[in-house]
Amino acid sequence: MASSSSLSLSSPHFPSSSGLRSRSQRDPAEAVVSIQARKWWPGRSGSAAAVAAAVRKRYKGTAMREKKLAEMIEKKVEEAKAACEGEERRGSDGCKVAWDEVEEVSQAMARLRRRLAESDRDPLDAFCQENPETDECRVYDE
Amino acid sequence: MTTFTLCTLSSSSSSHLPCCISNSTTEEVHLGSPLLQRQFIFNTNWRKGRRGRGVSCGISCSAEAKTVVIGLAADSGCGKSTFMRRLTSVFGGAAEPPRGGNPESNTLLSDTTTVICLDDYHLLDREGRKEKGVTALDPRANNFDLMYEQVKALKAGVAVEKPIYNHVTGLLDPPELILPPKILFIEGLHPIFDSRVRDLLDFSIYLDISDEVKFAWKTKRDMAERGHSLHSIKASIEARKLDFDAYVDPQKQYADVVIEVLPTQLIPDDNERKVLRVRLVMKEGVKYFNPVYLFDEGSTLSWIPCGRKLSCSYPGIKFFYGPDTYVAHEVSVLEMDGQFDRLDELMYVESHLNNLSTKYYGEATEQMLKHGDFPGSNNGTGLFQTIIGLKIRELYECIVAEKSVTPLEAARVF
């Protein structure tokens, strides 16, 4: 865990030892001065995420889930707008619950998107290895 | 008679050595004496690092490890997941959803840690909440009795069957088996709400995101979705605000650490909210937790690291450190405004902070680099979350050391 060789930055632009030397060689004052001033922060759109997305097999079940959540967001936003229309309904319980549901599905969608972007395994991977014959586990062709 | 060195364990919250204060006395002890229950032999291998490089509690006896429980409270869409990933990463390995079982499980597992999402303790599912007119933020929607029982069981080393709240269907799915881990993280809206659960926590953190930043983050999260607009995002935040302020926000006063994320003061009229001002509010007197400080503990300082030795790009970096009072508690506050642009800026800052609980020079920077693609990696959110991760590691090691009181075995003595 400690050695500099284990620092594998996801972006290919950066050398693997980013100026941090191994423990035995560390001299604090020198370490700070000797590190070259170069950008290290690859940012959210690192190339690893793109590679992962391209390589991974997608199951129908996951694509369906994504589609369902997108539809739910649309639907629930409409319901919330309706539930809060008019003076009477604006501060009501129905109004706040409706927007809370919007938040819930929006967060669920964000969570799914992030999981897809960051892992090279489909969330249904383990399930589909056990149950390859189910409809959910058909490989998805976009 | 055997003569050996005994070390009495005492924890002193004001000292820099949270874990082991060696007070070696040589005493003659009879094996089987009741004294042995309270004292144990260990090879004191603690070093006080000059810059608070952490105390290592070297223990040679076997630990009867019980689960350490950490709570993390924040609103949804406020960076809890990112924080969790940084925290679990400090303990090694990435925490991932359980393989096999319900694919909608909210739980994360790694070798040493388990993360439980408290939505699983919803008493009412989506339909139920709609019927009762209650949001998920409302305590009435949550089963605190079950939460308490199960966290208590896991802490005592007993496995539990925990319900699963399915965020897609909005229903409560059949339970999954959770084995007691070394470290249990519970994250959600109400980890510190119920007093019984609060007493079970070894450490708690509250992520306090200001309204402007929350709006910016949720916009970033939702704008690409069909159905959402700036109006709907704003309406959703506003509609939930009342319940949030009533039920979630008051947990701040109980947290050991509060991380406040605010708009920057370095850029006038900033609307992008990309540059952030982050305040690490650390309670004084928390067992095994020594607040991070800048230069001189207990004093007040303003520090701009950019200058002759370090050149930074706009808008630069500004630090503040000082004691304060927060909801009637004594706290220390470390604040960072601005963002890191280059590795050397991060290293430079790390070399000037104290009590970081790192085990070697550059460890905090290394941890930040490991997750350079996480949001917040270039500002105070990433830095402080990483630091808290290291401090929780130290706290965990100290708790485990404290609990490893075992009766002496003759073999060990010789």
Side-chain angles (χ1 to χ4, degrees):
Chain A
M1 181 188 126
S3 70
S4 57
S5 60
S6 70
L7 280 180
S8 53
L9 294 174
S10 53
S11 168
H13 298 117
F14 304 96
S16 58
S17 81
S18 322
L20 286 174
R21 291 169 291 171
S22 70
R23 272 162 97 163
S24 54
Q25 297 172 325
R26 226 160 249 154
D27 168 22
E30 227 181 57
V32 174
V33 165
S34 71
I35 291 167
Q36 283 147 42
R38 57 171 179 264
K39 265 187 168 337
W40 66 279
W41 181 61
R44 196 97 204 262
S45 51
S47 59
V51 169
V55 160
R56 184 194 47 244
K57 187 165 58 176
R58 283 248 254 148
Y59 291 109
K60 187 174 171 201
T62 302
M64 298 296 296
R65 235 172 223 101
E66 219 182 323
K67 190 159 163 253
K68 181 169 183 208
L69 280 171
E71 283 167 8
M72 277 171 83
I73 291 177
E74 261 193 286
K75 187 175 123 202
K76 293 213 178 275
V77 169
E78 289 308 315
E79 283 174 13
K81 284 181 182 163
C84 301
E85 215 165 306
E87 274 308 316
E88 209 183 71
R89 278 183 270 186
R90 195 162 303 143
S92 70
D93 284 346
C95 174
K96 69 179 181 184
V97 170
W99 283 116
D100 191 43
E101 286 188 9
V102 168
E103 170 61 30
E104 195 193 339
V105 296
S106 303
Q107 180 61 15
M109 177 59 121
R111 199 178 296 163
L112 179 61
R113 287 209 192 285
R114 189 191 20 238
R115 219 172 135 179
L116 290 173
E118 281 162 5
S119 165
D120 50 2
R121 281 201 304 253
D122 188 284
L124 285 178
D125 222 45
F127 175 79
C128 288
Q129 271 172 27
E130 306 284 311
N131 310 279
E133 70 290 338
T134 57
D135 186 47
E136 276 197 321
C137 294
R138 291 208 336 243
V139 176
Y140 185 71
D141 297 318
E142 277 172 81
Chain B
M1 277 314 135
T2 326
T3 311
F4 48 83
T5 308
L6 288 181
C7 246
T8 328
L9 226 190
S10 70
S11 61
S12 157
S13 54
S14 59
S15 110
H16 288 241
L17 312 169
C19 198
C20 320
I21 295 174
S22 110
N23 184 12
S24 9
T25 51
T26 312
E27 271 181 41
E28 281 193 17
V29 181
H30 300 262
L31 286 176
S33 135
L35 259 181
L36 290 172
Q37 255 61 51
R38 302 303 301 157
Q39 292 161 320
F40 56 94
I41 293 176
F42 59 88
N43 303 316
T44 16
N45 182 27
W46 52 272
R47 288 166 270 124
K48 180 180 190 265
R50 187 174 61 87
R51 290 269 180 71
R53 225 150 290 159
V55 176
S56 69
C57 321
I59 303 295
S60 63
C61 26
S62 64
E64 192 215 84
K66 292 271 170 67
T67 303
V68 169
V69 188
I70 316 277
L72 172 61
D75 194 7
S76 80
C78 286
K80 275 199 303 292
S81 309
T82 307
F83 198 166
M84 265 308 139
R85 286 184 299 165
R86 280 194 219 274
L87 286 180
T88 50
S89 151
V90 166
F91 293 96
E96 285 176 352
R99 306 263 299 147
N102 191 335
E104 291 303 328
S105 165
N106 303 304
T107 308
L108 297 174
L109 305 170
S110 77
D111 286 336
T112 42
T113 70
T114 290
V115 181
I116 286 181
C117 171
L118 293 178
D119 286 348
D120 289 337
Y121 292 110
H122 277 336
L123 191 59
L124 305 167
D125 62 16
R126 204 177 284 157
E127 274 309 307
R129 294 198 299 271
K130 199 183 203 132
E131 264 168 57
K132 285 230 161 106
V134 156
T135 63
L137 300 154
D138 196 313
R140 288 173 289 169
N142 299 289
N143 189 346
F144 290 106
D145 289 338
L146 185 64
M147 192 192 294
Y148 166 62
E149 272 164 39
Q150 295 206 333
V151 173
K152 186 166 151 206
L154 285 168
K155 190 165 174 141
V158 176
V160 300
E161 289 275 349
K162 177 192 63 66
I164 298 176
Y165 179 76
N166 188 320
H167 284 99
V168 178
T169 60
L171 300 167
L172 282 159
D173 285 350
E176 61 184 344
L177 182 68
I178 303 289
L179 301 172
K182 291 211 175 100
I183 302 155
L184 175 68
F185 287 98
I186 59 172
E187 56 99 346
L189 295 164
H190 308 100
I192 348 183
F193 182 86
D194 185 278
S195 59
R196 298 165 299 174
V197 178
R198 210 184 299 146
D199 288 341
L200 293 172
L201 297 177
D202 294 295
F203 195 73
S204 55
I205 307 151
Y206 183 92
L207 257 183
D208 184 10
I209 314 296
S210 78
D211 292 338
E212 305 94 325
V213 177
K214 193 181 275 193
F215 179 62
W217 285 4
K218 292 205 173 172
T219 303
K220 199 165 160 207
R221 186 192 71 179
D222 294 338
M223 264 319 266
E225 305 298 339
R226 244 172 30 233
H228 262 305
S229 62
L230 279 177
H231 167 258
S232 64
I233 295 168
K234 195 152 197 265
S236 175
I237 296 177
E238 273 170 16
R240 295 169 81 248
K241 196 156 165 50
L242 225 81
D243 276 9
F244 180 79
D245 288 343
Y247 305 121
V248 180
D249 202 59
Q251 290 175 94
K252 279 200 288 220
Q253 60 185 299
Y254 302 114
D256 297 315
V257 161
V258 176
I259 298 185
E260 290 183 0
V261 183
L262 305 147
T264 181
Q265 290 177 327
L266 300 176
I267 304 174
D269 304 320
D270 171 55
N271 273 323
E272 278 185 55
R273 315 293 179 211
K274 284 213 179 112
V275 182
L276 297 169
R277 176 174 160 228
V278 189
R279 305 181 81 228
L280 183 61
V281 181
M282 301 165 280
K283 227 188 229 174
E284 289 289 339
V286 175
K287 204 175 180 194
Y288 302 140
F289 176 73
N290 289 325
V292 182
Y293 68 91
L294 200 51
F295 177 57
D296 176 25
E297 200 173 11
S299 62
T300 303
L301 279 147
S302 223
W303 180 49
I304 297 175
C306 315
R308 285 202 195 107
K309 278 201 263 178
L310 186 75
S311 61
C312 312
S313 44
Y314 182 80
I317 303 170
K318 188 170 179 186
F319 274 88
F320 166 83
Y321 164 75
D324 203 348
T325 319
Y326 183 86
V327 200
H329 286 292
E330 293 282 310
V331 298
S332 293
V333 181
L334 177 65
E335 180 181 313
M336 173 179 161
D337 197 349
Q339 53 188 34
F340 297 113
D341 206 40
R342 299 186 322 272
L343 179 61
D344 55 338
E345 291 170 12
L346 188 50
M347 281 295 297
Y348 192 81
V349 163
E350 180 182 344
S351 66
H352 287 82
L353 289 170
N354 300 285
N355 267 355
L356 285 179
S357 306
T358 49
K359 289 195 169 161
Y360 51 86
Y361 183 78
E363 191 183 12
T365 301
E366 208 171 69
Q367 278 292 324
M368 291 276 281
L369 278 178
K370 233 166 97 176
H371 304 298
D373 58 336
F374 282 9
S377 294
N378 64 339
N379 61 38
T381 53
L383 177 63
F384 293 156
Q385 288 175 4
T386 302
I387 292 173
I388 291 298
L390 296 168
K391 299 210 74 64
I392 289 179
R393 179 182 65 186
E394 181 180 76
L395 177 127
Y396 165 73
E397 287 170 355
C398 289
I399 291 177
V400 163
E402 175 199 85
K403 284 179 175 166
S404 59
V405 176
T406 57
L408 270 176
E409 288 154 42
R412 275 195 197 284
V413 177
F414 300 101

